Amino acid sequence: MNNHSIKSFIHLFRKQQTKKQFYKGILVASSINIILLIVLSILEATFYFNNAIRINIYNLFFLTLLSSFSYVLIRAYININTIFNNSSDYSMAKLFMKSNTKNSDRLLNALELESSLDSLEKGKDLAKNAIDKINIDLQAFPLESIYVPISKK
C-alpha cells in the first residue's frame, strides 16, 4: 500500500480549502472595489474635482485594486505551498475532522503514526497496519464530498 496517499489526500484537501478561500477572497475584494468605485463616482459627480485630485483618486483606486487582488493571490500561494506552516498537514487533518467525523480521527492518528514510524522500536507492524487501513479507507472515500461550496460564514 502506498504510504503517500495520506499526504496526497491531505494535500488535495488543502488545495480544495485554498480554492474556496481564494474564490471567497476574490468575491470580497471585487465587492469592496466596486463599492469604492461607486462611492468615488458619486463624490466626483457631486463635487466635480479638479484634475490633480482626480489623478490622485485614480491612482489610489488602482493601488487599492492591485493590492487587494495581490493579497488574495499571495495568500493562496502561501497556503497551497504551506509556507510559514500555516496550513500544515496536522491543521488540515483537524479541519477535515470538523467536516467529516467518520474518518477524521483515524486520519489524524494515522498521520501522527506515519510521522513517528521511523522512531518506533516496538509495534511498527501495528502502525503500518493502521496506516494501510486508513489508506484503504481514503481510496474508497468519495473525493467529490470534500468539494464543499463556499459557505456563508
Side-chain angles (χ1 to χ4, degrees):
M1 198 48 55
N2 186 5
N3 283 343
H4 295 289
S5 65
I6 292 174
K7 297 235 182 224
S8 64
F9 179 81
I10 290 175
H11 185 67
L12 182 67
F13 185 71
R14 180 184 300 113
K15 282 173 52 176
Q16 184 270 334
Q17 291 296 316
T18 303
K19 267 187 201 176
K20 179 178 160 182
Q21 191 179 46
F22 176 75
Y23 292 143
K24 192 174 182 179
I26 290 291
L27 184 66
V28 168
S30 299
S31 300
I32 288 172
N33 284 309
I34 288 172
I35 290 170
L36 181 63
L37 183 64
I38 290 170
V39 167
L40 291 175
S41 298
I42 290 172
L43 287 174
E44 168 61 27
T46 303
F47 297 113
Y48 192 70
F49 298 126
N50 62 22
N51 285 338
I53 294 176
R54 278 189 204 139
I55 290 173
N56 287 337
I57 290 174
Y58 176 79
N59 289 337
L60 187 64
F61 173 73
F62 279 107
L63 179 69
T64 305
L65 182 73
L66 182 67
S67 61
S68 63
F69 287 117
S70 297
Y71 170 74
V72 171
L73 283 171
I74 290 170
R75 184 178 65 177
Y77 178 78
I78 287 172
N79 285 337
I80 201 85
N81 293 318
T82 63
I83 301 172
F84 307 123
N85 209 21
N86 62 339
S87 60
S88 66
D89 291 342
Y90 294 109
S91 64
M92 288 292 110
K94 287 180 183 177
L95 188 62
F96 181 73
M97 190 183 327
K98 291 179 183 176
S99 64
N100 183 345
T101 57
K102 182 182 176 192
N103 293 326
S104 58
D105 191 32
R106 293 176 46 214
L107 177 67
L108 189 60
N109 292 340
L111 185 63
E112 290 172 356
L113 279 174
E114 189 178 44
S115 65
S116 65
L117 195 61
D118 293 332
S119 63
L120 287 176
E121 294 176 13
K122 295 181 180 178
K124 206 178 243 192
D125 55 340
L126 290 173
K128 285 183 181 179
N129 187 23
I131 291 170
D132 287 343
K133 277 188 174 184
I134 194 68
N135 279 337
I136 291 169
D137 288 348
L138 288 179
Q139 288 175 354
F141 188 77
L143 294 178
E144 303 85 37
S145 66
I146 68 170
Y147 294 106
V148 183
I150 297 174
S151 64
K152 294 183 181 181
K153 290 182 181 180

